PDB file of all heavy atoms in Angstrom:
ATOM      1  N   VAL A  24     -34.514  47.607 -34.363  1.00 40.00           N
ATOM      2  CA  VAL A  24     -35.304  47.480 -35.582  1.00 40.00           C
ATOM      3  C   VAL A  24     -36.594  48.196 -35.586  1.00 40.00           C
ATOM      4  O   VAL A  24     -36.923  48.834 -36.599  1.00 40.00           O
ATOM      5  CB  VAL A  24     -35.520  45.979 -35.852  1.00 40.00           C
ATOM      6  CG1 VAL A  24     -36.245  45.828 -37.194  1.00 40.00           C
ATOM      7  CG2 VAL A  24     -34.051  45.348 -36.104  1.00 40.00           C
ATOM      8  N   ILE A  25     -37.484  48.081 -34.566  1.00 38.00           N
ATOM      9  CA  ILE A  25     -38.738  48.501 -34.502  1.00 38.00           C
ATOM     10  C   ILE A  25     -38.664  49.959 -33.801  1.00 38.00           C
ATOM     11  O   ILE A  25     -38.571  49.973 -32.671  1.00 38.00           O
ATOM     12  CB  ILE A  25     -39.648  47.661 -33.702  1.00 38.00           C
ATOM     13  CG1 ILE A  25     -39.688  46.191 -34.517  1.00 38.00           C
ATOM     14  CG2 ILE A  25     -41.078  48.205 -33.740  1.00 38.00           C
ATOM     15  CD1 ILE A  25     -40.029  46.049 -35.759  1.00 38.00           C
ATOM     16  N   THR A  26     -38.724  51.033 -34.528  1.00 33.00           N
ATOM     17  CA  THR A  26     -38.616  52.302 -33.955  1.00 33.00           C
ATOM     18  C   THR A  26     -39.939  53.150 -34.031  1.00 33.00           C
ATOM     19  O   THR A  26     -39.935  54.180 -33.379  1.00 33.00           O
ATOM     20  CB  THR A  26     -37.504  53.209 -34.683  1.00 33.00           C
ATOM     21  OG1 THR A  26     -37.818  53.177 -36.115  1.00 33.00           O
ATOM     22  CG2 THR A  26     -36.104  52.507 -34.651  1.00 33.00           C
ATOM     23  N   ILE A  27     -40.761  52.646 -34.740  1.00 33.00           N
ATOM     24  CA  ILE A  27     -42.062  53.388 -34.823  1.00 33.00           C
ATOM     25  C   ILE A  27     -43.051  52.775 -34.002  1.00 33.00           C
ATOM     26  O   ILE A  27     -43.466  51.667 -34.010  1.00 33.00           O
ATOM     27  CB  ILE A  27     -42.571  53.446 -36.331  1.00 33.00           C
ATOM     28  CG1 ILE A  27     -41.641  53.893 -37.303  1.00 33.00           C
ATOM     29  CG2 ILE A  27     -43.942  54.242 -36.407  1.00 33.00           C
ATOM     30  CD1 ILE A  27     -41.119  55.374 -37.066  1.00 33.00           C
ATOM     31  N   ASN A  28     -43.643  53.727 -33.111  1.00 36.00           N
ATOM     32  CA  ASN A  28     -44.727  53.259 -32.095  1.00 36.00           C
ATOM     33  C   ASN A  28     -44.428  52.015 -31.367  1.00 36.00           C
ATOM     34  O   ASN A  28     -45.103  51.028 -31.289  1.00 36.00           O
ATOM     35  CB  ASN A  28     -46.091  53.078 -32.905  1.00 36.00           C
ATOM     36  CG  ASN A  28     -46.581  54.275 -33.440  1.00 36.00           C
ATOM     37  OD1 ASN A  28     -46.458  55.288 -32.874  1.00 36.00           O
ATOM     38  ND2 ASN A  28     -47.232  54.206 -34.577  1.00 36.00           N
ATOM     39  N   PRO A  29     -43.229  51.912 -30.625  1.00 39.00           N
ATOM     40  CA  PRO A  29     -42.852  50.632 -29.992  1.00 39.00           C
ATOM     41  C   PRO A  29     -44.016  50.341 -28.762  1.00 39.00           C
ATOM     42  O   PRO A  29     -44.316  49.234 -28.503  1.00 39.00           O
ATOM     43  CB  PRO A  29     -41.474  50.949 -29.302  1.00 39.00           C
ATOM     44  CG  PRO A  29     -41.410  52.316 -29.247  1.00 39.00           C
ATOM     45  CD  PRO A  29     -42.191  52.902 -30.479  1.00 39.00           C
ATOM     46  N   SER A  30     -44.487  51.372 -28.182  1.00 36.00           N
ATOM     47  CA  SER A  30     -45.401  51.106 -26.987  1.00 36.00           C
ATOM     48  C   SER A  30     -46.829  50.684 -27.656  1.00 36.00           C
ATOM     49  O   SER A  30     -47.406  49.926 -26.975  1.00 36.00           O
ATOM     50  CB  SER A  30     -45.565  52.339 -26.147  1.00 36.00           C
ATOM     51  OG  SER A  30     -46.067  53.572 -26.891  1.00 36.00           O
ATOM     52  N   MET A  31     -47.142  51.266 -28.740  1.00 34.00           N
ATOM     53  CA  MET A  31     -48.467  50.755 -29.376  1.00 34.00           C
ATOM     54  C   MET A  31     -48.342  49.288 -29.752  1.00 34.00           C
ATOM     55  O   MET A  31     -49.421  48.683 -29.695  1.00 34.00           O
ATOM     56  CB  MET A  31     -48.746  51.623 -30.616  1.00 34.00           C
ATOM     57  CG  MET A  31     -49.246  52.921 -30.348  1.00 34.00           C
ATOM     58  SD  MET A  31     -50.671  53.067 -29.347  1.00 34.00           S
ATOM     59  CE  MET A  31     -51.747  52.391 -30.591  1.00 34.00           C
ATOM     60  N   SER A  32     -47.200  48.804 -30.188  1.00 40.00           N
ATOM     61  CA  SER A  32     -47.172  47.335 -30.479  1.00 40.00           C
ATOM     62  C   SER A  32     -47.494  46.427 -29.392  1.00 40.00           C
ATOM     63  O   SER A  32     -48.388  45.535 -29.624  1.00 40.00           O
ATOM     64  CB  SER A  32     -45.649  47.004 -30.967  1.00 40.00           C
ATOM     65  OG  SER A  32     -45.634  45.646 -31.301  1.00 40.00           O
ATOM     66  N   SER A  33     -47.003  46.649 -28.258  1.00 39.00           N
ATOM     67  CA  SER A  33     -47.235  45.779 -27.141  1.00 39.00           C
ATOM     68  C   SER A  33     -48.737  46.086 -26.564  1.00 39.00           C
ATOM     69  O   SER A  33     -49.536  45.102 -26.243  1.00 39.00           O
ATOM     70  CB  SER A  33     -46.420  45.970 -25.943  1.00 39.00           C
ATOM     71  OG  SER A  33     -46.357  47.349 -25.476  1.00 39.00           O
ATOM     72  N   PHE A  34     -49.230  47.249 -26.720  1.00 35.00           N
ATOM     73  CA  PHE A  34     -50.574  47.612 -26.319  1.00 35.00           C
ATOM     74  C   PHE A  34     -51.580  46.928 -27.224  1.00 35.00           C
ATOM     75  O   PHE A  34     -52.549  46.267 -26.759  1.00 35.00           O
ATOM     76  CB  PHE A  34     -50.794  49.134 -26.323  1.00 35.00           C
ATOM     77  CG  PHE A  34     -52.205  49.599 -26.165  1.00 35.00           C
ATOM     78  CD1 PHE A  34     -52.744  49.513 -24.785  1.00 35.00           C
ATOM     79  CD2 PHE A  34     -53.078  49.954 -27.125  1.00 35.00           C
ATOM     80  CE1 PHE A  34     -54.001  49.907 -24.456  1.00 35.00           C
ATOM     81  CE2 PHE A  34     -54.381  50.430 -26.863  1.00 35.00           C
ATOM     82  CZ  PHE A  34     -54.816  50.294 -25.534  1.00 35.00           C
ATOM     83  N   VAL A  35     -51.320  46.935 -28.558  1.00 37.00           N
ATOM     84  CA  VAL A  35     -52.190  46.366 -29.499  1.00 37.00           C
ATOM     85  C   VAL A  35     -52.155  44.801 -29.343  1.00 37.00           C
ATOM     86  O   VAL A  35     -53.243  44.105 -29.338  1.00 37.00           O
ATOM     87  CB  VAL A  35     -51.781  46.601 -30.953  1.00 37.00           C
ATOM     88  CG1 VAL A  35     -52.525  45.717 -32.001  1.00 37.00           C
ATOM     89  CG2 VAL A  35     -52.145  48.124 -31.270  1.00 37.00           C
ATOM     90  N   THR A  36     -50.993  44.271 -28.987  1.00 41.00           N
ATOM     91  CA  THR A  36     -50.946  42.762 -28.800  1.00 41.00           C
ATOM     92  C   THR A  36     -51.723  42.368 -27.539  1.00 41.00           C
ATOM     93  O   THR A  36     -52.401  41.361 -27.625  1.00 41.00           O
ATOM     94  CB  THR A  36     -49.393  42.354 -28.608  1.00 41.00           C
ATOM     95  OG1 THR A  36     -48.669  42.687 -29.700  1.00 41.00           O
ATOM     96  CG2 THR A  36     -49.286  40.935 -28.351  1.00 41.00           C
ATOM     97  N   SER A  37     -51.688  43.146 -26.334  1.00 38.00           N
ATOM     98  CA  SER A  37     -52.431  42.846 -25.233  1.00 38.00           C
ATOM     99  C   SER A  37     -53.840  42.939 -25.570  1.00 38.00           C
ATOM    100  O   SER A  37     -54.545  42.104 -25.182  1.00 38.00           O
ATOM    101  CB  SER A  37     -51.998  43.927 -24.158  1.00 38.00           C
ATOM    102  OG  SER A  37     -50.736  43.791 -23.757  1.00 38.00           O
ATOM    103  N   LEU A  38     -54.359  43.917 -26.351  1.00 35.00           N
ATOM    104  CA  LEU A  38     -55.690  44.075 -26.737  1.00 35.00           C
ATOM    105  C   LEU A  38     -56.171  42.803 -27.529  1.00 35.00           C
ATOM    106  O   LEU A  38     -57.309  42.311 -27.344  1.00 35.00           O
ATOM    107  CB  LEU A  38     -55.975  45.336 -27.443  1.00 35.00           C
ATOM    108  CG  LEU A  38     -56.033  46.642 -26.644  1.00 35.00           C
ATOM    109  CD1 LEU A  38     -56.231  47.792 -27.523  1.00 35.00           C
ATOM    110  CD2 LEU A  38     -57.092  46.480 -25.437  1.00 35.00           C
ATOM    111  N   SER A  39     -55.207  42.384 -28.484  1.00 40.00           N
ATOM    112  CA  SER A  39     -55.656  41.269 -29.332  1.00 40.00           C
ATOM    113  C   SER A  39     -55.781  40.013 -28.442  1.00 40.00           C
ATOM    114  O   SER A  39     -56.727  39.314 -28.752  1.00 40.00           O
ATOM    115  CB  SER A  39     -54.606  41.216 -30.297  1.00 40.00           C
ATOM    116  OG  SER A  39     -54.743  39.846 -31.036  1.00 40.00           O
ATOM    117  N   TYR A  40     -54.858  39.801 -27.472  1.00 40.00           N
ATOM    118  CA  TYR A  40     -55.096  38.656 -26.615  1.00 40.00           C
ATOM    119  C   TYR A  40     -56.291  38.696 -25.793  1.00 40.00           C
ATOM    120  O   TYR A  40     -56.850  37.762 -25.676  1.00 40.00           O
ATOM    121  CB  TYR A  40     -53.699  38.549 -25.676  1.00 40.00           C
ATOM    122  CG  TYR A  40     -52.559  38.076 -26.422  1.00 40.00           C
ATOM    123  CD1 TYR A  40     -51.279  38.189 -25.879  1.00 40.00           C
ATOM    124  CD2 TYR A  40     -52.617  37.273 -27.517  1.00 40.00           C
ATOM    125  CE1 TYR A  40     -50.196  37.828 -26.501  1.00 40.00           C
ATOM    126  CE2 TYR A  40     -51.528  36.829 -28.168  1.00 40.00           C
ATOM    127  CZ  TYR A  40     -50.224  36.988 -27.671  1.00 40.00           C
ATOM    128  OH  TYR A  40     -49.186  36.569 -28.188  1.00 40.00           O
ATOM    129  N   ALA A  41     -56.583  39.864 -25.289  1.00 40.00           N
ATOM    130  CA  ALA A  41     -57.826  39.998 -24.449  1.00 40.00           C
ATOM    131  C   ALA A  41     -59.050  39.762 -25.338  1.00 40.00           C
ATOM    132  O   ALA A  41     -59.966  39.158 -24.780  1.00 40.00           O
ATOM    133  CB  ALA A  41     -57.790  41.446 -23.859  1.00 40.00           C
ATOM    134  N   ALA A  42     -59.027  40.234 -26.520  1.00 40.00           N
ATOM    135  CA  ALA A  42     -60.129  40.090 -27.272  1.00 40.00           C
ATOM    136  C   ALA A  42     -60.323  38.645 -27.940  1.00 40.00           C
ATOM    137  O   ALA A  42     -61.473  38.101 -28.219  1.00 40.00           O
ATOM    138  CB  ALA A  42     -60.178  41.195 -28.512  1.00 40.00           C
ATOM    139  N   HIS A  43     -59.171  38.019 -28.038  1.00 44.00           N
ATOM    140  CA  HIS A  43     -59.311  36.663 -28.841  1.00 44.00           C
ATOM    141  C   HIS A  43     -58.422  35.683 -27.874  1.00 44.00           C
ATOM    142  O   HIS A  43     -57.335  35.461 -28.432  1.00 44.00           O
ATOM    143  CB  HIS A  43     -58.733  36.857 -30.067  1.00 44.00           C
ATOM    144  CG  HIS A  43     -59.496  37.770 -31.054  1.00 44.00           C
ATOM    145  ND1 HIS A  43     -60.660  37.509 -31.511  1.00 44.00           N
ATOM    146  CD2 HIS A  43     -59.119  39.047 -31.420  1.00 44.00           C
ATOM    147  CE1 HIS A  43     -61.186  38.459 -32.166  1.00 44.00           C
ATOM    148  NE2 HIS A  43     -60.114  39.493 -32.135  1.00 44.00           N
ATOM    149  N   PRO A  44     -58.931  35.190 -26.855  1.00 47.00           N
ATOM    150  CA  PRO A  44     -58.044  34.323 -25.972  1.00 47.00           C
ATOM    151  C   PRO A  44     -57.544  33.124 -26.784  1.00 47.00           C
ATOM    152  O   PRO A  44     -56.436  32.577 -26.407  1.00 47.00           O
ATOM    153  CB  PRO A  44     -59.039  33.897 -24.858  1.00 47.00           C
ATOM    154  CG  PRO A  44     -60.090  34.906 -24.952  1.00 47.00           C
ATOM    155  CD  PRO A  44     -60.169  35.487 -26.255  1.00 47.00           C
ATOM    156  N   SER A  45     -58.200  32.566 -27.852  1.00 49.00           N
ATOM    157  CA  SER A  45     -57.672  31.441 -28.592  1.00 49.00           C
ATOM    158  C   SER A  45     -56.359  31.761 -29.291  1.00 49.00           C
ATOM    159  O   SER A  45     -55.563  30.907 -29.574  1.00 49.00           O
ATOM    160  CB  SER A  45     -58.657  31.080 -29.641  1.00 49.00           C
ATOM    161  OG  SER A  45     -58.903  32.206 -30.646  1.00 49.00           O
ATOM    162  N   LYS A  46     -56.001  33.098 -29.452  1.00 47.00           N
ATOM    163  CA  LYS A  46     -54.848  33.522 -30.167  1.00 47.00           C
ATOM    164  C   LYS A  46     -53.660  33.179 -29.134  1.00 47.00           C
ATOM    165  O   LYS A  46     -52.489  33.056 -29.647  1.00 47.00           O
ATOM    166  CB  LYS A  46     -54.854  34.862 -30.630  1.00 47.00           C
ATOM    167  CG  LYS A  46     -55.634  35.244 -31.736  1.00 47.00           C
ATOM    168  CD  LYS A  46     -55.524  36.557 -32.302  1.00 47.00           C
ATOM    169  CE  LYS A  46     -56.324  36.898 -33.455  1.00 47.00           C
ATOM    170  NZ  LYS A  46     -56.268  38.205 -33.986  1.00 47.00           N
ATOM    171  N   GLN A  47     -53.917  33.157 -27.864  1.00 49.00           N
ATOM    172  CA  GLN A  47     -52.893  33.052 -26.828  1.00 49.00           C
ATOM    173  C   GLN A  47     -52.168  31.759 -27.120  1.00 49.00           C
ATOM    174  O   GLN A  47     -50.968  31.723 -27.085  1.00 49.00           O
ATOM    175  CB  GLN A  47     -53.324  33.143 -25.513  1.00 49.00           C
ATOM    176  CG  GLN A  47     -53.864  34.609 -25.116  1.00 49.00           C
ATOM    177  CD  GLN A  47     -54.427  34.700 -23.764  1.00 49.00           C
ATOM    178  OE1 GLN A  47     -54.360  33.835 -23.029  1.00 49.00           O
ATOM    179  NE2 GLN A  47     -55.023  35.912 -23.487  1.00 49.00           N
ATOM    180  N   SER A  48     -52.913  30.689 -27.166  1.00 50.00           N
ATOM    181  CA  SER A  48     -52.243  29.291 -27.393  1.00 50.00           C
ATOM    182  C   SER A  48     -51.570  29.288 -28.694  1.00 50.00           C
ATOM    183  O   SER A  48     -50.543  28.650 -28.854  1.00 50.00           O
ATOM    184  CB  SER A  48     -53.333  28.224 -27.170  1.00 50.00           C
ATOM    185  OG  SER A  48     -54.311  28.260 -28.188  1.00 50.00           O
ATOM    186  N   ASN A  49     -52.158  29.871 -29.710  1.00 54.00           N
ATOM    187  CA  ASN A  49     -51.570  29.942 -31.057  1.00 54.00           C
ATOM    188  C   ASN A  49     -50.117  30.559 -30.968  1.00 54.00           C
ATOM    189  O   ASN A  49     -49.145  30.112 -31.542  1.00 54.00           O
ATOM    190  CB  ASN A  49     -52.436  30.536 -32.146  1.00 54.00           C
ATOM    191  CG  ASN A  49     -53.594  29.634 -32.498  1.00 54.00           C
ATOM    192  OD1 ASN A  49     -53.509  28.390 -32.197  1.00 54.00           O
ATOM    193  ND2 ASN A  49     -54.535  30.235 -33.039  1.00 54.00           N
ATOM    194  N   GLN A  50     -50.157  31.746 -30.358  1.00 54.00           N
ATOM    195  CA  GLN A  50     -48.907  32.476 -30.321  1.00 54.00           C
ATOM    196  C   GLN A  50     -47.922  31.799 -29.341  1.00 54.00           C
ATOM    197  O   GLN A  50     -46.771  31.797 -29.686  1.00 54.00           O
ATOM    198  CB  GLN A  50     -49.216  33.915 -29.629  1.00 54.00           C
ATOM    199  CG  GLN A  50     -49.985  34.765 -30.636  1.00 54.00           C
ATOM    200  CD  GLN A  50     -49.153  35.191 -31.754  1.00 54.00           C
ATOM    201  OE1 GLN A  50     -47.910  35.184 -31.831  1.00 54.00           O
ATOM    202  NE2 GLN A  50     -49.705  35.577 -32.854  1.00 54.00           N
ATOM    203  N   SER A  51     -48.389  31.193 -28.385  1.00 57.00           N
ATOM    204  CA  SER A  51     -47.467  30.376 -27.384  1.00 57.00           C
ATOM    205  C   SER A  51     -46.831  29.216 -28.167  1.00 57.00           C
ATOM    206  O   SER A  51     -45.731  29.037 -28.009  1.00 57.00           O
ATOM    207  CB  SER A  51     -48.382  29.894 -26.277  1.00 57.00           C
ATOM    208  OG  SER A  51     -47.532  29.181 -25.356  1.00 57.00           O
ATOM    209  N   ASN A  52     -47.671  28.536 -28.921  1.00 66.00           N
ATOM    210  CA  ASN A  52     -47.159  27.379 -29.654  1.00 66.00           C
ATOM    211  C   ASN A  52     -46.098  27.945 -30.720  1.00 66.00           C
ATOM    212  O   ASN A  52     -45.124  27.270 -30.846  1.00 66.00           O
ATOM    213  CB  ASN A  52     -48.240  26.596 -30.469  1.00 66.00           C
ATOM    214  CG  ASN A  52     -49.150  25.864 -29.484  1.00 66.00           C
ATOM    215  OD1 ASN A  52     -48.774  25.530 -28.348  1.00 66.00           O
ATOM    216  ND2 ASN A  52     -50.340  25.601 -29.884  1.00 66.00           N
ATOM    217  N   LYS A  53     -46.344  28.997 -31.376  1.00 61.00           N
ATOM    218  CA  LYS A  53     -45.386  29.474 -32.391  1.00 61.00           C
ATOM    219  C   LYS A  53     -44.196  29.956 -31.656  1.00 61.00           C
ATOM    220  O   LYS A  53     -43.058  29.680 -32.176  1.00 61.00           O
ATOM    221  CB  LYS A  53     -46.048  30.710 -33.084  1.00 61.00           C
ATOM    222  CG  LYS A  53     -45.157  31.333 -34.109  1.00 61.00           C
ATOM    223  CD  LYS A  53     -45.937  32.352 -34.935  1.00 61.00           C
ATOM    224  CE  LYS A  53     -45.141  32.910 -35.945  1.00 61.00           C
ATOM    225  NZ  LYS A  53     -45.758  33.977 -36.850  1.00 61.00           N
ATOM    226  N   ALA A  54     -44.250  30.651 -30.528  1.00 61.00           N
ATOM    227  CA  ALA A  54     -43.021  31.070 -29.767  1.00 61.00           C
ATOM    228  C   ALA A  54     -42.189  29.855 -29.318  1.00 61.00           C
ATOM    229  O   ALA A  54     -41.070  29.930 -29.468  1.00 61.00           O
ATOM    230  CB  ALA A  54     -43.436  31.931 -28.631  1.00 61.00           C
ATOM    231  N   GLU A  55     -42.902  28.732 -28.918  1.00 64.00           N
ATOM    232  CA  GLU A  55     -42.241  27.510 -28.616  1.00 64.00           C
ATOM    233  C   GLU A  55     -41.473  26.885 -29.668  1.00 64.00           C
ATOM    234  O   GLU A  55     -40.442  26.459 -29.597  1.00 64.00           O
ATOM    235  CB  GLU A  55     -43.158  26.520 -27.886  1.00 64.00           C
ATOM    236  CG  GLU A  55     -43.550  26.942 -26.457  1.00 64.00           C
ATOM    237  CD  GLU A  55     -44.581  26.048 -25.896  1.00 64.00           C
ATOM    238  OE1 GLU A  55     -44.685  24.819 -26.426  1.00 64.00           O
ATOM    239  OE2 GLU A  55     -45.188  26.483 -24.883  1.00 64.00           O
ATOM    240  N   ARG A  56     -42.187  26.861 -30.882  1.00 70.00           N
ATOM    241  CA  ARG A  56     -41.547  26.359 -32.061  1.00 70.00           C
ATOM    242  C   ARG A  56     -40.275  27.192 -32.476  1.00 70.00           C
ATOM    243  O   ARG A  56     -39.278  26.757 -32.962  1.00 70.00           O
ATOM    244  CB  ARG A  56     -42.435  26.268 -33.222  1.00 70.00           C
ATOM    245  CG  ARG A  56     -43.578  25.125 -33.103  1.00 70.00           C
ATOM    246  CD  ARG A  56     -44.310  25.000 -34.508  1.00 70.00           C
ATOM    247  NE  ARG A  56     -44.957  26.302 -34.936  1.00 70.00           N
ATOM    248  CZ  ARG A  56     -46.146  26.591 -34.615  1.00 70.00           C
ATOM    249  NH1 ARG A  56     -46.937  26.036 -33.854  1.00 70.00           N
ATOM    250  NH2 ARG A  56     -46.596  27.642 -35.100  1.00 70.00           N
ATOM    251  N   GLN A  57     -40.343  28.589 -32.346  1.00 68.00           N
ATOM    252  CA  GLN A  57     -39.323  29.496 -32.669  1.00 68.00           C
ATOM    253  C   GLN A  57     -38.044  29.186 -31.610  1.00 68.00           C
ATOM    254  O   GLN A  57     -36.878  29.165 -32.069  1.00 68.00           O
ATOM    255  CB  GLN A  57     -39.748  30.841 -32.744  1.00 68.00           C
ATOM    256  CG  GLN A  57     -40.502  31.217 -33.869  1.00 68.00           C
ATOM    257  CD  GLN A  57     -40.982  32.672 -33.766  1.00 68.00           C
ATOM    258  OE1 GLN A  57     -41.178  33.209 -32.775  1.00 68.00           O
ATOM    259  NE2 GLN A  57     -41.385  33.127 -35.103  1.00 68.00           N
TER     260      GLN A  57
END
């Protein structure tokens, strides 16, 4: 499904987590709910 900039997606996600550690627990909780 995701064909445009696949490597950028994980890179941006990693940067987002590094910049906002509080998002890690929110994303983790969301993943667990899913």
Side-chain angles (χ1 to χ4, degrees):
V24 175
I25 308 299
T26 58
I27 305 298
N28 295 327
S30 61
M31 284 300 290
S32 177
S33 61
F34 177 73
V35 170
T36 301
S37 298
L38 287 178
S39 174
Y40 283 160
H43 304 286
S45 63
K46 287 186 179 181
Q47 291 178 10
S48 63
N49 291 340
Q50 290 294 337
S51 177
N52 290 339
K53 184 176 181 178
E55 286 176 17
R56 284 192 308 271
Q57 288 178 334

